[in-house]
Amino acid sequence: MTVLLDKISSISSTYLLIAFILYNLGFLLFVLSILGKKWSSRDPQEHMRRWGKIAFATSVIGFIGHVLFFFTRWYSGGHIPTSNMYEFMTFLAMMIMCAFIVVFLIYRSLVIGVFALPVGIIILAYASVFPHEVQPLIPALQSYWLKIHVTTAATGEAFFAVGFAGGLMYLIRTIDFKSKEPQAKKEQRSIEFVMFVMLIIIGFVAAIFSFNAAGYKAQFSKDVTVTDKAGQQQTVNQKVDYVLPPIFAPYKTKMENMTPFLGIKKPLFEAPSWMNGSNAGRKLNTVVWSIISGLVLYGLLRLLFRKPLAAAISPILDGMDPEDIDEISYRAIAIGYPIFTLGALVFAMIWAAEAWGRFWGWDPKEVWALITWLYYAFYLHLRLSRGWQGKKSAWLSVIGFTVVMFTLIGVNLVIAGLHSYSGV
């Protein structure tokens, strides 16, 4: 039986790889369907329709592969695969693709694929950074509420991601990149910063994959005093493993081994004393490497396009009605908000009452889920009652998804709390 489950788990990973490849191919086909009309000798609209259908079909087939991964992993693991960061992020990417398909079928706009697909691809690539092994459920997660709470919360967040893509589309479409007016320059710098932040995430994933493929390793150790279940104190040797070359070593640790990188055989710096957690130095090192990788990617793309990235992407949206893009962003968020309300608040509080005997406990994840809910309530209030449409609404949707990503990533991996197990 174990051999069979291991085989199914291997097949499951293959489905995910196929989905990832098809998502990337679908994205390229969506780009081709829009840009190819400029050099097509045929009717441009016919070109867009034909290649758009192929792009959408490719994305749907990728989504089917993703769904097959989800259920085969569920079968091999014996529980719904949403219990750790790898499983949750792959599920979130799947729901982003589902939300994209729903919104695309409503509006039939090819440009949605150009902006929504990369969000799902980046999330899926980010998931691959975490350990892939099927892990048994810890006691806190052994509840049917895991299926209900996590899946509905992720579905709501997936529609927020599509809303983010729509908001980004609107800003790139409407900002005047040729204007020298102070307000226009401010908007240009702001949207370029958003593009840079996205490249930081891509750079982080690329750096992890590259050094993993090269077999890079570095390890540090430190003697720490811990208290066992009997209340006795004992000294244990705590090890910290690095995948990226240690620009910053953990505070007051001993280097066990380190693969040389560019002739560097020891860390350049030590993490500051106030970053004294077991993984604090590694997290600082990861942040620094992510920024460096993002800067390198940004510099290379600027050299390639010879203009700001947002300005280079802007021609893709020529001919697209800004009001339609604004409507796409708003509708996606309007669909996602009630689903998120049920999953992240209502179902979460019911589960918390069953698991911990209270509906609310000011755990960091609970607080940030509430902040996210209040933010999007604020967005909808301003949109419906104050008439905030266009650029104001678009900026709110872009900032809102930043809050979502911090709730998912920053809280799980940086802030300790009752939900910290999901960062393992």
Side-chain angles (χ1 to χ4, degrees):
M1 186 65 178
T2 303
V3 175
L4 175 62
L5 291 178
D6 289 342
K7 189 172 183 179
I8 293 174
S9 180
S10 176
I11 294 172
S12 175
S13 299
T14 302
Y15 283 137
L16 188 63
L17 178 61
I18 292 172
F20 183 73
I21 292 171
L22 288 175
Y23 289 158
N24 281 277
L25 180 59
F27 165 69
L28 293 175
L29 289 171
F30 272 117
V31 174
L32 179 64
S33 68
I34 294 172
L35 294 184
K37 65 180 182 180
K38 295 182 178 179
W39 58 78
S40 175
S41 57
R42 302 180 180 181
D43 177 17
Q45 294 301 321
E46 176 61 27
H47 172 92
M48 291 179 67
R49 282 193 295 269
R50 182 163 61 92
W51 285 101
K53 289 180 181 177
I54 296 173
F56 181 68
T58 302
S59 303
V60 170
I61 295 171
F63 176 71
I64 293 171
H66 205 151
V67 172
L68 289 172
F69 156 80
F70 177 75
F71 284 106
T72 51
R73 185 175 177 91
W74 190 340
Y75 181 81
S76 65
H79 58 80
I80 188 171
T82 56
S83 62
N84 55 46
M85 280 298 284
Y86 171 73
E87 292 178 345
F88 180 80
M89 297 307 283
T90 55
F91 179 76
L92 176 61
M94 183 177 77
M95 296 315 298
I96 289 174
M97 295 305 302
C98 179
F100 153 71
I101 291 170
V102 170
V103 174
F104 182 88
L105 289 175
I106 294 173
Y107 291 98
R108 302 286 180 174
S109 174
L110 301 181
V111 183
I112 302 174
V114 177
F115 285 82
L117 275 174
V119 179
I121 291 169
I122 291 171
I123 295 293
L124 191 54
Y126 176 71
S128 301
V129 169
F130 297 96
H132 297 188
E133 296 79 12
V134 176
Q135 301 170 349
L137 282 180
I138 65 173
L141 296 179
Q142 294 175 6
S143 169
Y144 61 89
W145 283 107
L146 174 66
K147 304 181 185 71
I148 302 171
H149 158 57
V150 177
T151 54
T152 49
T155 302
E157 290 162 347
F159 279 97
F160 293 160
V162 176
F164 159 78
L168 190 63
M169 288 162 55
Y170 183 91
L171 293 171
I172 294 176
R173 172 67 178 85
T174 57
I175 290 175
D176 186 356
F177 293 99
K178 296 180 180 179
S179 175
K180 302 297 181 182
E181 295 295 325
Q183 180 61 28
K185 296 293 289 184
K186 182 180 178 181
E187 291 177 343
Q188 294 164 21
R189 288 192 295 267
S190 298
I191 195 66
E192 199 66 8
F193 178 74
V194 173
M195 304 300 296
F196 174 65
V197 171
M198 295 180 66
L199 287 177
I200 287 177
I201 299 173
I202 296 172
F204 161 71
V205 174
I208 292 288
F209 274 126
S210 299
F211 284 105
N212 258 330
Y216 186 88
K217 291 181 180 179
Q219 188 178 70
F220 301 86
S221 65
K222 180 181 180 180
D223 291 333
V224 296
T225 302
V226 297
T227 303
D228 60 22
K229 294 181 179 180
Q232 300 294 321
Q233 290 188 337
Q234 56 181 334
T235 301
V236 297
N237 187 255
Q238 190 176 65
K239 298 187 183 298
V240 180
D241 295 313
Y242 277 49
V243 176
L244 299 171
I247 298 173
F248 287 92
Y251 179 68
K252 290 198 178 300
T253 56
K254 176 185 176 183
M255 187 175 73
E256 296 288 338
N257 61 73
M258 174 179 166
T259 306
F261 175 69
L262 297 179
I264 301 173
K265 299 181 180 180
K266 63 179 182 178
L268 299 179
F269 307 100
E270 184 179 71
S273 59
W274 54 271
M275 299 189 73
N276 200 14
S278 60
N279 291 310
R282 184 178 63 183
K283 292 172 181 176
L284 173 62
N285 190 69
T286 300
V287 170
V288 172
W289 265 106
S290 300
I291 294 173
I292 291 172
S293 302
L295 285 169
V296 170
L297 278 175
Y298 182 78
L300 291 174
L301 290 173
R302 284 297 300 267
L303 286 174
L304 176 64
F305 294 117
R306 298 179 181 274
K307 62 174 66 174
L309 300 188
I313 296 172
S314 182
I316 295 177
L317 295 165
D318 286 349
M320 186 78 178
D321 187 349
E323 291 186 4
D324 289 344
I325 305 175
D326 184 50
E327 179 71 10
I328 290 170
S329 179
Y330 162 65
R331 290 296 179 189
I333 292 173
I335 293 170
Y337 184 73
I339 301 173
F340 181 81
T341 301
L342 285 173
L345 291 182
V346 178
F347 296 151
M349 288 190 289
I350 295 173
W351 189 10
E354 286 192 6
W356 300 313
R358 86 303 187 268
F359 289 100
W360 188 265
W362 297 104
D363 180 71
K365 191 63 173 288
E366 295 173 348
V367 172
W368 277 93
L370 177 61
I371 290 172
T372 303
W373 182 81
L374 290 173
Y375 181 91
Y376 280 102
F378 182 67
Y379 165 89
L380 291 172
H381 169 72
L382 292 177
R383 174 92 188 192
L384 298 174
S385 299
R386 301 290 181 179
W388 278 34
Q389 299 183 5
K391 287 183 179 178
K392 290 181 179 180
S393 178
W395 276 117
L396 286 175
S397 66
V398 169
I399 296 170
F401 193 63
T402 304
V403 177
V404 171
M405 294 309 296
F406 181 78
T407 304
L408 293 178
I409 300 172
V411 175
N412 279 349
L413 302 183
V414 178
I415 304 175
L418 291 171
H419 292 78
S420 294
Y421 53 76
S422 59
V424 175

